[in-house]
Amino acid sequence: MKSRSLPLIASLTLVTTALAAPSGPVQEGSAIIPKPVSLQEKLGEPGFSLSQGIRIAPGSISGMASRVLQNVGIKTQISDKNPELVFSTDDKLGKEAYRLNVTPQKITVESSTPQGAFYALQSLAQSVTKDDKGTICFPTMAIEDAPRFSWRGLMVDSCRHMMPAKDIKKVIDLLARYKFNTLHWHLTDDQGWRIEIKKYPKLTEVGSSRTHSPIMGQRNKPDGVPYSGYYTQDEIKDVVKYAKQRGITIIPEIEVPGHAAAAITAYPELGNKDIENYDPKVVCSWGVFPYIFAPTEETFKFLDDVLTEVAELFPDSPFIHVGGDEAPKDQWKKSATAQKIMKENGLKNEEELQSYFIRRVEKLVNSKGKRLIGWDEINEGGLSPTASMMVWRDIRWARHAIERGNDVVMTHTDSLYLDYSQGPGAPNKPEYEVIGGNVPLEKVYAFNPVPSGITKEQEKHVLGCQGNVWSEYIPDINKFQYQVFPRALALAEIAWTPLELKNEADFKNRLNKQLPYLDEQKVNYRRPDNGAPARPDVVIKTTAPEKNQ
Ligand code: TNX
């Protein structure tokens, strides 16, 4: 058998080698973002020619590999006849690490998981270049790579304005290209409850609709246009699956005890109903509002049920985010019921009641097999030793939590709030309004997620960093893309690349080479050269998306 099949293999090899003739010398290197830990390119030597496309070895990863390469215009074929792109497992590599080796004849990927291989393919897809004859090719190169942090995130606020599931998928595609692995999905807030919960249908029947919104450019005037929308459980499952196939875990956020007006409007018995003038409504403007869950057993039972459904919808998320931010205590101060509960539990003040509330919710979250994460206000009144904290206000809170052994994710408002403006150049039109604050690209790039003054040993408590995209002034995908790109690429690099390799000039150079891809994908990014949108022809809406009107 062996001796008869050999000549066949030999002749096939000849044919295929002839097809995959190496390209001519390659002068331009790859412009990978985020910058890999180690990249060695052989410029001036032939690369791997793509004039005939590429033969991918069959296996569990080949379909995904084919999709990633086709997305950058490369013809692919899955074939075990002298494959040119091959995968192997090296269990010694970290979960997200990979090795990628490109020669004029062959491309090899080594990883310990499909996720590592996926990142190798993203690096490969970003390395398409041309040889001296203009033939499309990959440069001859060797990469060894692994991320600096395990949490590389972006938060999408679907409450103030809601992007349809198909647009969330577009966001996921771009995040995957730049090796993000976490999408934090803000699903409940004062202005809308956006996730279907079967046991409590009024959450979406009532809580997903508001009568109007502020007019863009005139933030204190109502637009008079009803706004509503939510994701069905089927849509959520579909988005979660889509994200998973692209190496992205979705962390759901269900806000407690504040930012809860929509839920309380749907089920008024969950609020502090014993106070005067109690009349909850889904909120139609932006800011911080008084309606906050009552700290009663009825509320905890409700949250238990909600979290059961949420945990089932996000099976791969290790965390459930429970908000915890901006919860005014006035209603608890006025409510006899809340005061009685404080007394019964020996709580000295309303801050301690907030802390009690969060600890009760943490037990529920843990009972579903998940860890609790919340905004840094969960610190006030005492931080649970097992909670993780998302630091958005003062970096000192991060140090405080880390010193106590809590894990943190850095989302600092001064550096990572992508709803803020980016510097000069946005068109002077109402639809380009932002909430306030200024975070230029350079400021994102300059941010170090590890706070100063902590020890090497404590650094392991910094899970990573995340950009937050609050959507008060982001009514649709076009404005979203304008706010998020290209700053998300700077964020991708600070989350992945070792600190000692950070170099702003080099980053900007690579960023310029990424723009043609973003153009091709029709991303409405902010032009780094003049601040204008990439696509002046796109219409950024000033009111609710059509579907929701
Ligand atoms: C504060 S950051 C909030 C959000 C707003 C945002 C606007 C945080 C945890 N809470 O509710 O949308 O400011 O930038």
Side-chain angles (χ1 to χ4, degrees):
M1 267 311 271
K2 253 188 183 171
S3 58
R4 261 195 291 151
S5 60
L6 264 180
L8 180 64
I9 289 174
S11 62
L12 268 176
T13 309
L14 272 180
V15 172
T16 49
T17 311
L19 281 177
S23 71
V26 177
Q27 301 302 347
E28 186 141 0
S30 59
I32 300 169
I33 291 179
K35 193 178 181 68
V37 173
S38 155
L39 163 68
Q40 287 169 357
E41 289 170 305
K42 291 198 172 156
L43 299 183
E45 293 189 16
F48 182 100
S49 170
L50 289 161
S51 56
Q52 304 292 327
I54 190 166
R55 280 188 309 279
I56 304 172
S60 56
I61 301 168
S62 51
M64 175 260 279
S66 190
R67 205 181 59 226
V68 172
L69 296 177
Q70 281 175 10
N71 176 253
V72 289
I74 296 167
K75 276 185 262 158
T76 64
Q77 193 193 334
I78 296 174
S79 167
D80 58 0
K81 302 218 167 62
N82 193 22
E84 298 153 305
L85 172 56
V86 296
F87 298 92
S88 66
T89 306
D90 180 348
D91 289 330
K92 288 194 283 301
L93 288 173
K95 190 172 156 273
E96 297 187 297
Y98 68 91
R99 274 188 220 107
L100 170 66
N101 200 49
V102 180
T103 70
Q105 289 76 32
K106 202 163 192 132
I107 301 172
T108 54
V109 167
E110 290 170 87
S111 67
S112 66
T113 62
Q115 193 158 354
F118 183 71
Y119 293 141
L121 288 158
Q122 294 299 346
S123 292
L124 193 61
Q126 287 191 25
S127 298
V128 178
T129 184
K130 283 189 178 149
D131 69 9
D132 62 348
K133 295 182 216 94
T135 307
I136 306 285
C137 64
F138 295 125
T140 290
M141 62 181 180
I143 297 181
E144 293 206 26
D145 205 5
R148 182 177 175 204
F149 295 109
S150 63
W151 186 302
R152 304 182 300 281
L154 191 80
M155 188 215 72
V156 175
D157 170 9
S158 285
C159 301
R160 278 57 179 266
H161 288 100
M162 140 163 199
M163 284 196 293
K166 71 167 183 4
D167 288 343
I168 303 277
K169 288 182 178 175
K170 280 190 205 158
V171 173
I172 288 170
D173 284 338
L174 289 167
L175 294 182
R177 176 169 163 100
Y178 298 106
K179 305 191 178 93
F180 282 83
N181 65 359
T182 305
L183 188 149
H184 165 182
W185 206 355
H186 186 74
L187 287 163
T188 74
D189 213 307
D190 296 311
Q191 296 84 0
W193 181 285
R194 308 267 176 241
I195 172 173
E196 179 188 26
I197 300 293
K198 303 269 191 206
K199 197 158 185 183
Y200 296 94
K202 282 197 270 176
L203 285 172
T204 44
E205 280 165 20
V206 174
S208 72
S209 303
R210 58 177 185 257
T211 53
H212 56 269
S213 313
I215 295 183
M216 294 277 287
Q218 298 177 67
R219 52 178 71 192
N220 297 320
K221 276 203 183 154
D223 65 2
V225 183
Y227 188 97
S228 66
Y230 66 91
Y231 304 102
T232 64
Q233 293 206 348
D234 283 345
E235 278 178 305
I236 294 207
K237 283 184 205 151
D238 180 49
V239 171
V240 166
K241 184 172 155 212
Y242 188 89
K244 185 177 184 176
Q245 286 164 349
R246 286 153 185 82
I248 291 176
T249 305
I250 304 192
I251 314 282
E253 180 182 348
I254 305 295
E255 270 258 37
V256 302
H259 284 280
I264 296 171
T265 307
Y267 293 97
E269 60 273 28
L270 301 175
N272 299 282
K273 55 184 195 260
D274 58 349
I275 62 173
E276 257 175 62
N277 304 321
Y278 181 72
D279 185 19
K281 291 271 177 299
V282 181
V283 176
C284 299
S285 54
W286 317 134
V288 177
F289 301 92
Y291 279 86
I292 149 173
F293 282 115
T296 55
E297 292 312 310
E298 194 174 0
T299 299
F300 294 124
K301 169 75 175 77
F302 162 81
L303 291 172
D304 191 9
D305 292 339
V306 168
L307 292 172
T308 299
E309 292 191 32
V310 170
E312 277 166 16
L313 289 170
F314 298 89
D316 298 311
S317 171
F319 290 94
I320 293 183
H321 198 300
V322 301
D325 63 311
E326 300 175 329
K329 310 293 183 295
D330 306 2
Q331 293 196 342
W332 282 351
K333 284 191 181 132
K334 288 182 194 148
S335 159
T337 311
Q339 292 300 317
K340 184 164 162 265
I341 290 166
M342 275 170 60
K343 246 210 195 110
E344 281 165 6
N345 290 281
L347 306 169
K348 287 196 287 296
N349 51 38
E350 288 73 21
E351 276 63 43
E352 286 192 7
L353 181 55
Q354 153 120 352
S355 179
Y356 161 86
F357 195 110
I358 297 290
R359 281 172 204 240
R360 289 287 306 263
V361 174
E362 184 175 22
K363 284 210 184 79
L364 301 176
V365 168
N366 293 161
S367 75
K368 321 290 171 213
K370 308 285 191 193
R371 294 171 64 189
L372 177 140
I373 187 163
W375 299 111
D376 57 40
E377 285 92 334
I378 63 169
N379 198 16
E380 294 161 8
L383 180 62
S384 150
T386 43
S388 301
M389 203 164 91
M390 214 167 241
V391 180
W392 70 281
R393 297 176 304 170
D394 196 321
I395 302 279
R396 278 178 300 180
W397 290 133
R399 245 175 256 125
H400 179 85
I402 290 167
E403 279 160 11
R404 277 156 189 75
N406 295 76
D407 288 342
V408 299
V409 174
M410 304 301 286
T411 68
H412 196 225
T413 185
D414 290 346
S415 300
L416 301 182
Y417 268 38
L418 305 187
D419 54 335
Y420 290 0
S421 74
Q422 311 166 67
N428 187 17
K429 293 189 194 161
E431 53 270 36
Y432 285 89
E433 186 180 15
V434 291
I435 194 151
N438 185 247
V439 179
L441 176 79
E442 293 77 10
K443 206 162 178 197
V444 177
Y445 196 77
F447 185 72
N448 182 3
V450 174
S452 59
I454 63 164
T455 65
K456 262 258 150 304
E457 175 57 21
Q458 288 170 333
E459 272 185 33
K460 66 171 192 289
H461 290 300
V462 182
L463 301 182
C465 57
Q466 173 177 293
N468 290 341
V469 196
W470 300 104
S471 66
E472 287 93 336
Y473 297 91
I474 304 185
D476 65 9
I477 180 88
N478 292 320
K479 178 81 176 283
F480 183 94
Q481 291 179 337
Y482 180 77
Q483 289 297 126
V484 172
F485 295 96
R487 287 187 292 189
L489 277 67
L491 174 60
E493 188 141 312
I494 63 171
W496 180 285
T497 304
L499 189 59
E500 54 282 11
L501 292 187
K502 247 168 81 168
N503 178 323
E504 190 188 294
D506 172 58
F507 166 73
K508 285 186 168 168
N509 205 2
R510 280 176 287 122
L511 175 60
N512 283 334
K513 295 184 187 166
Q514 292 284 339
L515 300 183
Y517 176 81
L518 297 179
D519 284 327
E520 208 180 276
Q521 299 294 314
K522 302 203 178 349
V523 177
N524 186 40
Y525 61 89
R526 175 190 187 270
R527 293 209 60 87
D529 52 354
N530 65 10
R535 304 175 63 218
D537 53 315
V538 304
V539 180
I540 291 180
K541 293 202 178 101
T542 49
T543 53
E546 248 157 67
K547 169 179 168 239
N548 298 309
Q549 284 180 24

